[in-house]
Amino acid sequence: MKRRVIVVDDEPLISVLMKEIIEEDPGLEIAQMATGKNEFLNLISQNSYDAALIDISVAGREGGLEFLRTMKEKNIHLPSIMVSAHDELYYALKCLQAGARGYLNKRYICTDVIACLKTVLEGRLFVSGDKGEQILKQFKTELAI
């Protein structure tokens, strides 16, 4: 059975690129694509998904973080990966603190999106880039405090 993923991005080229790459894996499928918060919330209330890939800049500079807050308020438990063109050092920790299970820099979509999804679907955290492990250690240290 394929794991169902919803993509939220207001850039159609990025959505299509992710769909093409992810669907090369026989265990994954892009079940739906949304372009904004209301559409996303409507879709997840009507359908079942295993994970979400959410552009951090959808609906404004940090709109994706607002998605995470809304999901928490509405008690929606959907493993979410924030996708961003911003450097991991700037946003990854913020996203993890807000409830994301992963952070994927857009420059790594072609090489890391499948590994990122599989890691998160296994219940583990993922941060792309050279500083990914360092950021995860920092986050886990903060949780232990």
Side-chain angles (χ1 to χ4, degrees), residues 55-72:
D55 180 11
I56 196 168
S57 298
V58 78
R61 182 163 171 83
E62 293 185 15
L65 288 172
E66 185 59 35
F67 277 46
L68 294 174
R69 289 182 199 104
T70 301
M71 288 170 65
K72 196 178 277 186

Side-chain angles (χ1 to χ4, degrees), residues 62-133:
E62 293 185 15
L65 288 172
E66 185 59 35
F67 277 46
L68 294 174
R69 289 182 199 104
T70 301
M71 288 170 65
K72 196 178 277 186
E73 288 168 8
K74 294 183 178 283
N75 206 24
I76 298 167
H77 301 285
L78 178 64
S80 299
I81 299 160
M82 300 308 292
V83 181
S84 175
H86 302 290
D87 188 81
E88 291 83 358
L89 286 175
Y90 186 71
Y91 274 116
L93 194 55
K94 267 183 162 179
C95 292
L96 294 172
Q97 290 166 336
R101 303 297 298 158
Y103 185 90
L104 180 65
N105 189 301
K106 286 184 178 182
R107 76 186 127 173
Y108 297 109
I109 286 174
C110 293
T111 57
D112 289 357
V113 70
I114 291 174
C116 180
L117 276 166
K118 287 184 174 185
T119 299
V120 168
L121 287 166
E122 290 171 358
R124 295 181 291 132
L125 301 172
F126 183 96
V127 175
S128 64
D130 298 336
K131 303 287 186 207
E133 287 302 315

Side-chain angles (χ1 to χ4, degrees), residues 22-36:
I22 291 166
E23 291 190 344
E24 288 179 10
D25 186 290
L28 300 169
E29 73 172 322
I30 298 298
Q32 200 75 48
M33 291 190 278
T35 58

